[in-house]
Amino acid sequence: MTDNQQSGATEQPVLFQKHIPIVTRSVKGKFRTFKTAVLILAYAVYFGLPWLPWSRHDGPAQSIVFDMVGRRFFIFDLVVYPQDLISLSLLLFIAAALLFFVTGLLGRAFCGYFCFQTLWTDVFIFIERWVQGERPARIRLHKQPWNVEKLWKLGATHALWLLFAFWTAYTFVMYYGYAPQLTRNFLTGNLPFVAYFTILILTTTTYVAAGFAREQVCMYMCPYARFQGVMYEPETLAPYYDFQRGEGSAGRAVPRAGLKTREERQAKGVGDCIDCGFCVQVCPAGIDIRNGMQYQCISCGLCIDACDNIMNSVGFPRGLIRYDSELNIESKNPGKPHLDWKRLRTIGYGVALILMTAILVYNLATRSDLELSIQQVRQPLFVTLSDGSVRNRYQIHITNKTQEEQHYEIYVRDVPATALDIGEISEIKARPGKSVMVMASIKLPAAEAQKVNEFEFTIVTKGKPTDTLTKSVKFFSQHDQP
């Protein structure tokens, strides 16, 4: 084989990159403190809400319950039904717009502090460090041959991971029922099979995603890492390495004789970076921020904490790695980092957020406890009776969106009250969160049917005269035929 052939053989493209485990070092600083505060708050909300009691007329006495059987969601005093499609759509739009707005200002801050994958991975790493020790001890444990110490520590780590994953999955299921009763049913084996299956699946996926996949979820599975670039602008704040200051003209170097003080390093053209590698060791994505902006970066700021601690220890100014904009950090004389929101795209996201939030609040504040849907029976569209009168038939769907049983009355406008026929129904009642269907017919004499093109149905809640809905419908007769 020739040298060229040998060279070509060694340069075959690699289809799958080998996974290199990332063993992170713990760090202290303002960004780590903020991440921990968000984590504690998020866990308190997630694990605590199912156990927070909340009195209701109808439904479980729990703060948040997703009642799949009754097809309604209880969120404190708010009850949401599938019919509230506009509100649900607005909520999804607001969530997307907020993500775009924050990304335009602060990069992947959502990923670094609020994402479920980040929050659960942080706890799994904490468990790993608590059982196995700091980074050097974990690396040593990984390399050493199997013995009692390795077996015990790895076994304890995975057992705690599985326990926490199970707690996560079980808490998720508790949002779909009354937590105390659900717990009793779980322990006695009286839950439906789907509940046990859901717990098993969520336990497994949480264990794998937070214990093994970790950064790979962010890099390869989450689409946000791929399209975040279109939301970045030169003014977007994100963790950046000050290349000019860190590298100087002669590159970076570890402190040694003649390169210990900043004055000595500057005199020889050496930058402030002492090449300690702490910024890489604390990174949950395993990247080197000194190589510039990379899509794997989740903007958690831990590299900033690590670098600031090192700068403090060697007596150099902090901020070698900092939250800054590409526009500022690459300028000849970088200024103080600042949040630049006066941009067309950012203002557009902000206006959309305010507008959609206002519409959502208005929609929830003014929504009726009664929902009405009327469909005309179209086969046949109308019937001409033997006496010449014309009859149209309608399906009236009434949804009770309260937590109490309601009674309703049906009236008509623009046609005689005697034209309405709802059969032998003495009263119309609907249970909480349920719908009823009433078949109604309108019969008009031939002469009057020729004059009526449209009329109104009015639904009145008994005992609540102000809770009324009116809907216009068409009336068809022979003269409507082409």
Side-chain angles (χ1 to χ4, degrees):
M1 182 181 290
T2 63
D3 292 341
N4 290 336
Q5 288 174 323
Q6 290 178 344
S7 176
T10 59
E11 295 178 0
Q12 289 294 326
V14 179
L15 297 179
F16 299 98
Q17 182 178 357
K18 183 179 179 181
H19 177 234
I20 301 175
I22 297 173
V23 184
T24 58
R25 180 187 292 271
S26 60
V27 65
K28 294 182 179 180
K30 58 183 179 181
F31 291 103
R32 177 64 265 180
T33 300
F34 180 69
K35 275 175 66 69
T36 303
V38 171
L39 185 147
I40 293 173
L41 176 61
Y43 276 33
V45 170
Y46 178 76
F47 292 105
L49 281 180
W51 298 101
L52 180 64
W54 201 266
S55 60
R56 290 193 174 89
H57 297 292
D58 178 66
Q62 189 169 303
S63 59
I64 295 181
V65 182
F66 301 142
D67 183 7
M68 303 303 291
V69 176
R71 294 186 298 176
R72 51 187 175 168
F73 296 162
F74 296 102
I75 306 174
F76 298 102
D77 285 333
L78 178 66
V79 184
V80 182
Y81 296 91
Q83 294 88 347
D84 296 317
L85 184 61
I86 294 178
S87 297
L88 295 173
S89 300
L90 285 172
L91 187 62
L92 291 175
F93 180 90
I94 290 170
L98 179 62
L99 181 65
F100 297 160
F101 179 75
V102 172
T103 302
L105 288 175
L106 298 171
R108 292 180 67 180
F110 170 80
C111 298
Y113 304 104
F114 304 101
C115 176
F116 289 123
Q117 176 66 17
T118 297
L119 294 171
W120 262 256
T121 299
D122 267 5
V123 169
F124 272 55
I125 292 176
F126 170 78
I127 293 173
E128 186 180 63
R129 185 170 62 246
W130 180 60
V131 174
Q132 302 177 19
E134 192 48 82
R135 183 174 186 269
R138 303 207 302 275
I139 293 176
R140 177 188 60 80
L141 184 69
H142 176 74
K143 293 180 178 180
Q144 77 182 35
W146 284 97
N147 54 22
V148 174
E149 179 195 16
K150 186 171 184 176
L151 187 63
W152 180 87
K153 288 186 175 180
L154 290 182
T157 300
H158 286 269
L160 290 173
W161 282 357
L162 280 169
L163 180 62
F164 193 79
F166 167 77
W167 186 25
T168 300
Y170 182 70
T171 300
F172 178 83
V173 171
M174 283 197 294
Y175 280 95
Y176 292 86
Y178 184 50
Q181 182 62 44
L182 191 147
T183 301
R184 286 192 292 269
N185 291 341
F186 175 80
L187 294 175
T188 57
N190 292 323
L191 282 182
F193 170 77
V194 66
Y196 291 105
F197 184 72
T198 300
I199 292 173
L200 175 63
I201 293 298
L202 289 179
T203 298
T204 304
T205 53
T206 303
Y207 173 67
V208 172
F212 298 94
R214 294 186 179 177
E215 77 286 347
Q216 292 182 305
V217 173
C218 305
M219 294 180 188
Y220 305 118
M221 303 177 197
C222 178
Y224 185 46
R226 300 297 177 175
F227 68 75
Q228 61 165 332
V230 301
M231 293 180 281
Y232 273 58
E233 295 186 88
E235 297 85 0
T236 299
L237 292 182
Y240 278 100
Y241 169 64
D242 191 338
F243 190 84
Q244 299 179 62
R245 176 188 155 190
E247 304 294 318
S249 58
R252 54 180 179 255
V254 297
R256 56 179 184 269
L259 291 175
K260 290 187 177 180
T261 67
R262 198 169 185 229
E263 291 74 16
E264 292 175 337
R265 298 173 73 90
Q266 289 179 345
K268 297 179 180 179
V270 176
D272 284 357
C273 179
I274 65 172
D275 208 16
C276 63
F278 276 19
C279 57
V280 181
Q281 295 175 20
V282 302
C283 179
I287 66 170
D288 190 340
I289 193 66
R290 296 172 297 181
N291 294 332
M293 174 56 65
Q294 297 151 73
Y295 77 89
Q296 297 96 330
C297 177
I298 61 173
S299 298
C300 64
L302 296 184
C303 56
I304 301 176
D305 286 339
C307 188
D308 283 347
N309 289 337
I310 294 300
M311 292 295 103
N312 290 340
S313 66
V314 296
F316 295 174
R318 296 158 62 99
L320 178 59
I321 301 175
R322 61 182 181 269
Y323 255 98
D324 206 339
S325 66
E326 180 184 7
L327 192 66
N328 181 60
I329 205 161
E330 291 186 356
S331 62
K332 292 184 178 179
N333 298 302
K336 186 178 180 180
H338 64 283
L339 196 65
D340 185 3
W341 59 269
K342 296 178 181 179
R343 291 171 275 146
L344 182 61
R345 185 187 297 182
T346 305
I347 293 175
Y349 289 145
V351 170
L353 266 175
I354 295 173
L355 180 61
M356 291 300 105
T357 302
I359 294 175
L360 176 62
V361 172
Y362 174 80
N363 188 61
L364 292 175
T366 60
R367 71 174 188 161
S368 173
D369 290 332
L370 168 65
E371 184 168 301
L372 175 63
S373 172
I374 302 177
Q375 296 177 340
Q376 187 162 12
V377 177
R378 294 184 172 271
Q379 292 184 357
L381 191 61
F382 65 91
V383 175
T384 303
L385 303 178
S386 58
D387 61 356
S389 60
V390 180
R391 185 179 67 192
N392 284 201
R393 299 174 68 232
Y394 303 87
Q395 289 182 346
I396 303 176
H397 294 265
I398 302 173
T399 302
N400 175 15
K401 297 170 67 175
T402 70
Q403 299 184 51
E404 300 174 347
E405 183 176 270
Q406 301 292 343
H407 298 253
Y408 304 99
E409 296 175 337
I410 301 178
Y411 300 96
V412 289
R413 295 178 183 174
D414 302 326
V415 294
T418 56
L420 173 65
D421 182 9
I422 59 174
E424 299 181 355
I425 299 177
S426 58
E427 67 175 2
I428 303 167
K429 61 181 179 180
R431 290 181 295 159
K434 301 298 183 180
S435 297
V436 295
M437 185 185 75
V438 178
M439 295 299 299
S441 64
I442 300 294
K443 185 175 72 172
L444 297 175
E448 191 170 349
Q450 299 294 321
K451 300 176 183 179
V452 177
N453 292 320
E454 193 173 84
F455 70 97
E456 293 180 345
F457 277 106
T458 300
I459 312 299
V460 179
T461 305
K462 282 188 176 182
K464 299 179 180 179
T466 57
D467 197 357
T468 301
L469 278 183
T470 300
K471 189 175 183 65
S472 297
V473 296
K474 292 285 187 179
F475 185 87
F476 293 91
S477 59
Q478 188 66 38
H479 80 282
D480 294 305
Q481 298 295 308

